[in-house]
Amino acid sequence: GQQVMQIPQYQHVQEGEDFTTYCNSSTTLSNIQWYKQRPGGHPVFLIQLVKSGEVKKQKRLTFQFGEAKKNSSLHITATQTTDVGTYFCAGGFQKLVFGTGTRLLVSP
Amino acid sequence: GAVVSQHPSRVICKSGTSVKIECRSLDFQATTMFWYRQFPKKSLMLMATSNEGSKATYEQGVEKDKFLINHASLTLSTLTVTSAHPEDSSFYICSASPEYTPSYEQYFGPGTRLTVT
């Protein structure tokens, strides 16, 4: 079946440093969604990308969808302690296949 | 944004008993809801798709007789873990998406932490 892997599994940064998580699918994706899950919380939708090569920005967050629609990335510029959590990519529109997730820890 | 609630938030039950978890869409109707399972520090694994007025669709490897799903109304889906065992201990999360949402973003409930002793 479809597998969606994310790297790194875990990253610990100092506040102000940048952070990137990469998402790779074993099959071509129709779309990619990104979610953030705070410790002890539930996933919260961040964004959806649909077009090949699409790039979207949300303040300090930049999302990219690969040309081949098999990979995606999330880049956070100048991390803040509020960015702490696990970031998941997910393929699909309603029935989602979640990536393995990247846990981000930000030290002040 | 849309709100999805779950009840209970935590439950501890004895091995062999059954536990029912409710998932409600509070401010929208959902013909479809999804049930996920999440182990500590792991990803979400889709268990089943709950369809209002019809049978749920289960993912491969998920026992439908063990995880009973009922979607009796447009705002409520229930997941019943029958004859629970310690290995069923996990975090169960539901999600739903309002039909008016063009991007099909899923709204997740706060989750139910099940501990089977």
Side-chain angles (χ1 to χ4, degrees), chain A residues 9-70:
Chain A
Q9 279 188 306
Y10 169 79
Q11 188 151 15
H12 185 178
V13 300
Q14 292 294 121
E15 192 171 26
E17 292 181 338
D18 292 355
F19 160 77
T20 304
T21 171
Y22 299 91
C23 170
N24 294 287
S25 171
S26 59
T27 59
T28 302
L29 300 167
S30 55
N31 68 315
I32 194 88
Q33 297 186 3
W34 283 91
Y35 289 82
K36 176 183 179 181
Q37 185 176 23
R38 292 181 185 275
H42 59 277
V44 174
F45 176 81
L46 295 176
I47 209 160
Q48 174 171 267
L49 305 170
V50 179
K51 299 176 184 175
S52 169
E54 189 170 12
V55 177
K56 286 188 177 180
K57 290 192 175 185
Q58 284 181 351
K59 297 183 180 177
R60 295 178 295 105
L61 276 61
T62 302
F63 304 84
Q64 287 189 318
F65 199 10
E67 294 289 342
K69 300 183 80 173
K70 293 183 73 175

Side-chain angles (χ1 to χ4, degrees), chain A residues 2 4 29-33 89-93 95-99:
Chain A
Q2 181 183 40
V4 184
L29 300 167
S30 55
N31 68 315
I32 194 88
Q33 297 186 3
C89 62
F93 282 104
K95 185 174 163 180
L96 300 174
V97 176
F98 276 83

